[in-house]
Amino acid sequence: MKRARFLVVLLLAAAGLVVGGPAQAANLLANPGFEAGSTSGWTCPAGTAVKTPVHSGTYALAVTPGASDQGQCTQTVSVRPSTTYSVSAWVQGAPVYLGVTGGSSTWTNASAYSQLSLSFTTSANQTSAELYLHGWYGASTYYADDVVLDGPGGDTPGGPGVPGTPTVGTVSDTSIALSWGAAAGTVTGYRVYEDNALRATVPGTSTTLSGLTACTSHSYSVTAYNDKAESAHTPAVSATTSGCTSAGLPKHALIGYVHASFANGSGYLKLADVPNAWDIIDLAFAEPTSVTSGDVRFNRCSATECPGVESDADFIAAIRAKQAQGKKVLISIGGQNGEVQLTTTAARDNFVNSVSAIIDKYGLDGLDVDFESQSLSLNSGDTDFHNPTTPVIVNLIAALKTLKARYGAKFVLTMAPETFFVQVGYQFYGGAGGGDSRTGAYLPVIYAMRDDLTVLHVQDYNSGPVMGLDNQYHTMGGADFLIAMTDMLKSGFKVANTGQTFPGLREDQIAVGLPAAVSAGNGYVSPTEVQTAVTCLAHGTGCGSYTLRGGPSPALRGLMTWSVNWDRYYKWEFQKAHRPFLDGLG
């Protein structure tokens, strides 16, 4: 039956009776029932076409997920803006997921073929949609058949092709120059989108966008148009105006946490004994008096817990000595046990005042935000990371902006989120529902502070497998994971099913976060593998099978580690390997 229906569509098209239009609906998918005897038309690395079990016809899709992947199959089709589409598939397995990136998703456990259905509405500028099917990590084989994406096609006859990916040219304090490859077909002109909004319409393949603010980052994509249609968007590229105030850091920095408020198996380390190799020293940790108070206290380790701990006077003297050497000393707030939820404006104000008191008492250079556990999450329906509505997010952003304004341009602000709160947002976003509300929850904070953020060093450890921009899952512990996760921060990425794109950061704002030794955290990476990854990220060489979507980052800020104490315990392996390497990176 499915082949008969598909044949009718083809015959009508040949007769000129099927044209793209709101009143017409057709299955937009290629090889929707896998009757080609293959996965032709689909991006489906682990999938095969099988003859049993099928829902109808001769073939169906079979995929067996691996231990570190979900067995995802995708197909991208052209669609029309502001249009509603329906999606369905007959599936069998435990579990099976059906969804549209930027739209809805659904799933089932089914021992026999069962139909999944959903609908989605494209955004005002959306010209393509990606449909996906997948199972679950290490689960049994799932099957799919008779997949349908119904609605008007986006390819209007005579419409232009997609332009070449834009490249960034001359950048000044107030302008960014862009150029791109010409689109195929008849082209009237090109539309340039800045941060998902139309910024300029030009007749040729280049433009200079002016009137921008110094040291601000933006994401750009381009479409071609004529009197018939507008093309799909090019991949987005990020660019930043010049005029940034220097944080006083070396081009490539070594960043480390010092256990200042507690002792563990690595032993206590006096601040004066931290080697000069470290450029940013994060004092771990300041913690709140209660989860929702916003009242943060920095209680230095006691002599009982940390024999040999220095006095406050000696501690402050050591801070001054480090600063005299050009080092930056920050207070890190949160950590594994320091859960902070700024649920009210009163908590927000307490946070600002108490953090300021710590900075002033010790004369610190700034703040490191290391919110973990349940500190950040998104309320249901909070899907626009540009304009978040969840109180704990809104209040944290307001608090950080106040602190930045209070201390001025030289205030150093760093963040150390886990991959779950950042890169996992490519696949799942908490406010969109259907999963953990914490996924991607750092994204609105990073975005709001992107022009004030000194360094983002995501913890590339203590992480499960994470999908990269190649739509493959990457597992911690080697160069591949570091490359894929860091490239996402530079390139930017679509945010799950929100229809929005998180723009990449400046390369000097990005560092790679690592455990210093095998005892410091899961996901330890040998110095050789770390340096392979950094060389790839900085110079685009030795990247293995991975292609950098964000391009090389010669100004990549450097490496962060947990922790300086653990590095000392392991005879300074991290520092001895990586300080000379960073100095010679160029």
Side-chain angles (χ1 to χ4, degrees):
M1 176 181 277
K2 61 191 169 189
R3 280 193 288 178
R5 179 187 179 204
F6 194 50
L7 179 60
V8 169
V9 172
L10 290 174
L11 290 173
L12 288 173
L17 299 177
V18 176
V19 295
Q24 301 292 331
N27 192 352
L28 302 182
L29 297 170
N31 195 19
F34 306 94
E35 292 305 304
S38 69
T39 58
S40 173
W42 297 80
T43 300
C44 197
T48 59
V50 297
K51 292 186 175 182
T52 185
V54 299
H55 175 252
S56 69
T58 305
Y59 292 97
L61 171 70
V63 184
T64 303
S68 61
D69 72 86
Q70 297 172 307
Q72 180 158 287
C73 293
T74 64
Q75 186 172 149
T76 300
V77 300
S78 295
V79 293
R80 296 190 175 185
S82 304
T83 303
T84 298
Y85 292 81
S86 61
V87 181
S88 64
W90 288 88
V91 299
Q92 177 178 326
V96 191
Y97 293 77
L98 171 70
V100 176
T101 302
S104 306
S105 64
T106 185
W107 68 280
T108 188
N109 288 319
S111 58
Y113 271 107
S114 175
Q115 189 176 39
L116 290 174
S117 300
L118 55 87
S119 65
F120 70 100
T121 301
T122 54
S123 65
N125 298 316
Q126 187 174 350
T127 55
S128 65
E130 181 185 73
L131 180 140
Y132 63 81
L133 289 153
H134 68 73
W136 200 246
Y137 306 102
S140 59
T141 300
Y142 74 87
Y143 303 90
D145 203 355
D146 298 320
V147 190
V148 176
L149 197 164
D150 266 336
D155 286 330
T156 301
V162 180
T165 301
T167 58
V168 179
T170 303
V171 172
S172 73
D173 288 4
T174 59
S175 66
I176 294 172
L178 296 172
S179 61
W180 52 90
T186 302
V187 177
T188 301
Y190 297 90
R191 292 172 179 148
V192 180
Y193 291 82
E194 181 181 86
D195 301 329
N196 299 313
L198 180 62
R199 179 66 159 74
T201 300
V202 297
T205 57
S206 65
T207 189
T208 297
L209 304 169
S210 58
L212 302 173
T213 302
C215 195
T216 55
S217 298
H218 303 279
S219 176
Y220 294 100
S221 64
V222 179
T223 65
Y225 73 94
N226 61 20
D227 60 344
K228 303 292 185 182
E230 181 178 11
S231 75
H233 287 244
T234 64
V237 296
S238 296
T240 304
T241 53
S242 55
C244 299
T245 301
S246 173
L249 295 171
K251 181 178 180 180
H252 304 300
L254 205 58
I255 304 164
Y257 289 79
V258 172
H259 309 175
S261 64
F262 63 95
N264 63 10
S266 63
Y268 184 77
L269 175 64
K270 290 183 178 181
L271 189 58
D273 294 335
V274 174
N276 292 338
W278 302 91
D279 301 299
I280 296 180
I281 301 167
D282 293 314
L283 304 176
F285 290 104
E287 299 178 358
T289 54
S290 68
V291 171
T292 59
S293 70
D295 184 13
V296 176
R297 303 296 173 89
F298 176 45
N299 298 312
R300 297 189 55 237
C301 195
S302 66
T304 301
E305 185 179 355
C306 298
V309 64
E310 67 269 56
S311 66
D312 270 4
D314 287 344
F315 188 72
I316 292 172
I319 293 172
R320 298 293 175 272
K322 293 297 181 187
Q323 292 169 329
Q325 296 168 353
K327 313 303 180 183
K328 306 299 180 183
V329 185
L330 315 182
I331 184 65
S332 182
I333 297 179
Q336 179 178 329
N337 299 323
E339 189 174 331
V340 181
Q341 294 180 8
L342 304 183
T343 55
T344 64
T345 55
R348 175 200 66 195
D349 295 341
N350 286 341
F351 183 85
V352 170
N353 293 332
S354 58
V355 170
S356 296
I358 295 168
I359 292 172
D360 294 344
K361 177 179 178 179
Y362 294 99
L364 302 175
D365 297 289
L367 168 66
D368 173 66
V369 181
D370 186 11
F371 283 16
E372 301 181 15
S373 186
Q374 303 293 323
S375 293
L376 295 182
S377 61
L378 292 156
N379 288 348
S380 178
D382 188 355
T383 59
D384 182 359
F385 71 85
H386 304 90
N387 300 288
T389 57
T390 304
V392 295
I393 304 292
V394 173
N395 290 329
L396 175 60
I397 292 169
L400 295 178
K401 286 185 175 294
T402 300
L403 288 166
K404 176 67 177 181
R406 179 172 295 183
Y407 291 103
K410 293 187 177 180
F411 183 73
V412 177
L413 175 64
T414 65
M415 298 182 189
E418 297 162 289
T419 58
F420 189 72
F421 293 92
V422 183
Q423 288 95 334
V424 172
Y426 176 55
Q427 193 174 11
F428 306 104
Y429 192 63
D436 194 309
S437 61
R438 297 172 298 163
T439 51
Y442 251 92
L443 293 178
V445 181
I446 297 168
Y447 180 79
M449 303 304 299
R450 61 185 295 109
D451 297 322
D452 295 317
L453 181 63
T454 309
V455 188
L456 175 70
H457 35 66
V458 174
Q459 300 175 34
D460 290 332
Y461 52 95
N462 295 336
S463 171
V466 181
M467 180 178 284
L469 296 178
D470 56 356
N471 289 327
Q472 301 298 312
Y473 283 90
H474 299 267
T475 304
M476 66 179 182
D480 173 73
F481 189 75
L482 306 182
I483 292 168
M485 295 302 99
T486 308
D487 186 42
M488 295 180 78
L489 304 179
K490 169 70 180 300
S491 176
F493 53 88
K494 292 181 180 179
V495 180
N497 57 349
T498 66
Q500 299 178 334
T501 298
F502 176 77
L505 295 171
R506 303 192 316 266
E507 57 197 74
D508 65 283
Q509 292 178 299
I510 303 170
V512 179
L514 302 158
V518 292
S519 300
N522 295 320
Y524 168 76
V525 184
S526 71
T528 299
E529 287 282 291
V530 171
Q531 293 173 15
T532 294
V534 173
T535 300
C536 163
L537 292 164
H539 301 308
T541 59
C543 299
S545 62
Y546 187 88
T547 300
L548 293 175
R549 273 66 176 177
S553 302
L556 182 77
R557 182 56 73 185
L559 299 172
M560 172 276 279
T561 193
W562 176 265
S563 65
V564 179
N565 298 62
W566 278 114
D567 193 34
R568 181 190 63 168
Y569 186 86
Y570 280 84
K571 303 186 186 303
W572 303 111
E573 177 193 72
F574 194 94
Q575 171 195 306
K576 288 179 178 178
H578 298 313
R579 178 75 270 172
F581 168 74
L582 291 177
D583 291 342
L585 190 59

